[in-house]
Amino acid sequence: MITRISLLFLISFSAIAQANSDESSIRNLLATQNKLWNQGDIPGFMAYYNHSEDLKFIGKNGITQGWDATLARYLKSYPNQEAMGQLTFDIIEVDVTASKTAWVIGKWHLARPKLGDVGGHFTLLLKKVKGKWLIFRDHTS
């Protein structure tokens, strides 16, 4: 009986530790994206999105399908550092589900002294692919 309880405890502890590790990895991914954006590196920022036609970006103008189209959208919307401004994220929730998918809810803000600040909320769906978290869906408003 004690062995079964010990085994259940170890399994539960291991699952919690993995979820905490995954959440930490996702928060680090977003911090890296934040840094890359603020350096003016949109392709670097995009490296954390799933590089396929399956990627979907949902924004105020509708759905952008695919990595290449999403990159083109970012480059058109933010043609220079002045337009990109300085990005900050406020991560409200990271919910790791089944250790291979995660949802992130947060707020974003672009400080743009000459063009005016903008911001809103986002929801991300991430999937773990070959041990690396990637964004598959980005709904930003």
Side-chain angles (χ1 to χ4, degrees):
M1 182 72 155
I2 293 175
T3 305
R4 287 183 185 169
I5 292 171
S6 296
L7 182 60
L8 287 174
F9 175 76
L10 287 173
I11 290 170
S12 296
F13 181 77
S14 176
I16 291 168
Q18 182 61 46
N20 288 341
S21 174
D22 287 332
E23 180 176 343
S24 179
S25 294
I26 291 166
R27 286 181 181 275
N28 287 337
L29 174 154
L30 294 169
T32 300
Q33 276 194 306
N34 196 137
K35 179 181 174 184
L36 290 165
W37 183 275
N38 290 337
Q39 293 171 348
D41 186 355
I42 291 176
F45 176 87
M46 285 288 301
Y48 297 90
Y49 283 82
N50 182 41
H51 197 148
S52 79
E53 282 303 306
D54 188 42
L55 172 66
K56 287 185 177 71
F57 178 93
I58 305 98
K60 66 180 182 177
N61 295 323
I63 299 172
T64 301
Q65 178 81 38
W67 192 91
D68 291 329
T70 301
L71 174 62
R73 181 203 160 280
Y74 273 123
L75 292 171
K76 181 179 179 185
S77 298
Y78 303 99
N80 55 46
Q81 190 66 50
E82 184 177 63
M84 291 177 74
Q86 288 295 296
L87 175 66
T88 55
F89 286 139
D90 178 13
I91 307 305
I92 297 168
E93 179 181 6
V94 177
D95 183 11
V96 178
T97 57
S99 75
K100 291 195 177 192
T101 59
W103 290 95
V104 176
I105 299 170
K107 292 192 284 187
W108 62 277
H109 181 262
L110 284 181
R112 304 186 313 174
K114 293 181 181 177
L115 299 177
D117 293 1
V118 292
H121 289 83
F122 62 88
T123 304
L124 304 174
L125 170 64
L126 295 95
K127 296 181 183 181
K128 198 177 215 182
V129 179
K130 298 180 183 175
K132 180 179 176 183
W133 286 101
L134 296 171
I135 300 167
F136 276 69
R137 303 289 184 271
D138 180 342
H139 186 190
T140 297
S141 60

